[in-house]
Amino acid sequence: KQAVAESDIVIFLVDARLGMAPQDRVIADFLRKTGRPVILAVNKAEGMSHATVSSEFYELGLGEPQAISSAHGDGVRSLIDSIFEEELVAFSKEHSALIESAEDLNDQAPEQGSPVSVHAKVQAMRVAIVGRPNAGKSTLINTLLGEERVIAYDQPGTTRDALSIDFKHQGRDYTLVDTA
């Protein structure tokens, strides 16, 4: 819950092979209440029809499910594009608010000389990866990073604590949060 609260974007990973589970509904309900942007990724979908894999996950009410395979890289590129799309929407809202705030401060205190910098608040975008145990969260992190940075094993419970991993993509800083 803390990882979600501290994140800018949440990737909710569900398991295509096991299908919808009651725990997925509980997590989806929690994510909707947070107000955070959520990208729904249906993992372990290699060799399956996107429509077939995604259909049952629409009922979670989190938008268009994206069929991916963390292990094979299928659909991960479009998932990354979705993250950038969400980031641009969030950035433009934040940027507009920062510009208005800086203009207000500059209007209120013109005698102090230097204007307030709008670019002062540039920080890493935090992306939390959440889902039920063994959905492939750590495997997705490794695929996004392009290297084996976190332990990924086919037994549930491998990740015991939330792990933050910093990386840079296209000159922008990101922090991926792998949750237990």
Side-chain angles (χ1 to χ4, degrees), residues 22-156:
Q23 193 174 6
D24 292 332
R25 287 184 180 89
V26 171
I27 295 169
D29 289 342
F30 166 74
L31 292 175
R32 272 194 307 280
K33 291 174 185 172
T34 66
R36 298 275 189 255
V38 177
I39 298 170
L40 178 59
V42 183
N43 194 27
K44 302 179 184 180
E46 59 273 1
M48 302 167 104
S49 158
H50 173 75
T52 303
V53 166
S54 301
S55 62
E56 72 177 308
F57 293 103
Y58 276 99
E59 76 179 72
L60 293 175
L62 295 172
E64 177 79 26
Q66 294 189 35
I68 68 165
S69 171
S70 297
H72 297 97
D74 300 342
V76 174
R77 175 41 118 184
S78 88
L79 179 67
I80 290 172
D81 291 343
S82 295
I83 293 168
F84 290 140
E85 190 174 295
E86 286 292 335
E87 176 187 19
L88 289 174
V89 169
F91 177 76
S92 63
K93 287 179 185 175
E94 181 179 321
H95 186 69
S96 296
L98 282 172
I99 289 173
E100 289 174 17
S101 175
E103 288 173 350
D104 289 346
L105 287 173
N106 289 333
D107 289 342
Q108 291 173 7
E111 67 281 347
Q112 292 184 359
S114 64
V116 175
S117 173
V118 174
H119 303 287
K121 189 183 175 189
V122 176
Q123 59 184 0
M125 163 99 16
R126 292 183 58 84
V127 180
I129 315 289
V130 301
R132 67 179 185 235
N134 211 34
K137 298 178 296 287
S138 297
T139 303
L140 178 59
I141 295 271
N142 287 335
T143 300
L144 292 171
L145 296 173
E147 62 181 300
E148 298 291 318
R149 289 275 304 274
V150 294
I151 297 170
Y153 190 62
D154 62 357
Q155 295 297 316

Side-chain angles (χ1 to χ4, degrees), residues 161-177:
D161 296 311
L163 304 169
S164 294
I165 299 114
D166 296 327
F167 79 106
K168 198 180 261 314
H169 181 73
Q170 296 182 346
R172 179 82 162 87
D173 292 326
Y174 293 88
T175 300
L176 293 174
V177 182

